[in-house]
Amino acid sequence: MNEFRSVVLGTGSALPRQVVTNKDLEARVDTSDEWIQQRTGITQRYIAGEGETTVSLGEAAARRALEAAGLETADIDLVIVATATPDNTFPASATQIQRRLGITHGFAFDIQAVCSGFVYAMTTADLYLKAGMARRALVIGAETFSRIIDWSDRTTCVLFGDGAGALVLERQEAIAGEGAGVLIARLRADGSHGDKLFVDGGPSSTGTVGRLRMEGREVFKHAVGMITDVVEDSLGALSISAEEIDWFVPHQANRRIIEASAKKLGIPLGKVVVTVDRHGNTSAASIPLAIDHAVRDGRIKPGDLVLLEAMGGGFTWGAVVVRW
Ligand code: ACO
């Protein structure tokens, strides 16, 4: 029997021009390169400058993904942008990117699940493609967290960076159980943890953008358990073991969370794609950024089994397994 799958045709990413090192941050807040590296694994991050926004970075990533896929903008009939830092409250960043790409058909919208945004967006795109409501989707994670950071708060400002990544997905017919494409997705949310990681403003509450607030230790405490639980659920539903995973591409929040999750799942560190050291935590952009780097340097290849997972504000979390 045949079924429809969402197959990855191309990837792309974009980073701002400006690199900010831990040493640079030492001049801004009471911190040290040693503390940041030891607690997070981060050595530098990219910070958006003048003219660089979520939409401009997302557009650049999308163009590279389209080029890699060998497609024209006209081939796309669905644009989903995962972001918690849109250029405007509305219209959606997805429609702004659609406009820059010159796409006037199909449909486009944003998804807001903070750091889990890309996993939520992939899952959503997969459902639309499988249902036949769209043929080819651009799934973009794009963020400029530097614009909602409290730059006087050393407990958060050292953690985040800006960037964007994009995947092109195509609806393809496949023999059930065989071939490439998204194999499974599992999403979770538990709003009772909302006060552990939030932005203290918004259009309807304060009329301001607000600044990011986080109880880092509390987030850390829940992260590994939530991540491994949803991953084990996904692998169990596919009847595959962690050993069969070729590449694990986790959300890049903190090297300690990534390593602890991989260890608990039984995935060797040699199969884990890590970019948090160079990019910091780019929220919804971190997974597609890491994927694009691993595809372009030849690690992720056609036929590989790739596991994605993320956990973030809300709390929200989830996992996606893709055959490349
Ligand atoms: N530089 C130097 N010292 C610092 C800094 C800093 N930048 N930040 C905090 N400290 C100090 C604290 O004040 C504290 O000092 P004290 O002991 O005198 O009170 C000490 O370092 C230890 O602080 P902790 O918060 O206990 O440090 P911890 O080991 O938990 O590391 C961290 C903090 C890195 C934030 C960690 O808790 C973490 O990674 N949490 C998860 C965060 C995360 O992943 N967030 C993203 C989720 S995704 C999303 O949706 C955005």
Side-chain angles (χ1 to χ4, degrees), residues 29-32 35-36 39-40 113-116 145 153-160 197 212 214-221 223 251 253-254 256-257 281 283 311-314 316:
V29 286
D30 181 15
T31 190
S32 67
W35 190 96
I36 301 170
R39 304 282 173 137
T40 71
V114 205
C115 296
S116 310
F145 260 50
D153 176 10
R154 69 173 183 172
T155 69
T156 54
C157 77
V158 302
L159 304 174
F160 295 92
L197 176 51
L212 182 144
M214 178 170 71
E215 292 177 37
R217 218 175 296 184
E218 280 297 310
V219 177
F220 203 111
K221 208 168 79 186
H251 167 50
N254 180 310
R256 287 189 294 157
I257 295 175
N281 179 350
S283 184
M311 181 263 185
T316 55

Side-chain angles (χ1 to χ4, degrees), residues 267-288:
I267 299 174
L269 289 179
K271 289 183 171 184
V272 186
V273 178
V274 178
T275 52
V276 68
D277 53 332
R278 287 154 288 152
H279 298 167
N281 179 350
T282 58
S283 184
S286 89
I287 291 176

Side-chain angles (χ1 to χ4, degrees), residues 243-276:
E243 286 101 76
E244 292 173 72
I245 297 294
D246 294 299
W247 293 106
F248 177 35
V249 190
H251 167 50
Q252 310 282 319
N254 180 310
R255 187 184 274 277
R256 287 189 294 157
I257 295 175
I258 293 171
E259 291 182 354
S261 305
K263 190 173 172 201
K264 201 168 166 201
L265 290 166
I267 299 174
L269 289 179
K271 289 183 171 184
V272 186
V273 178
V274 178
T275 52
V276 68

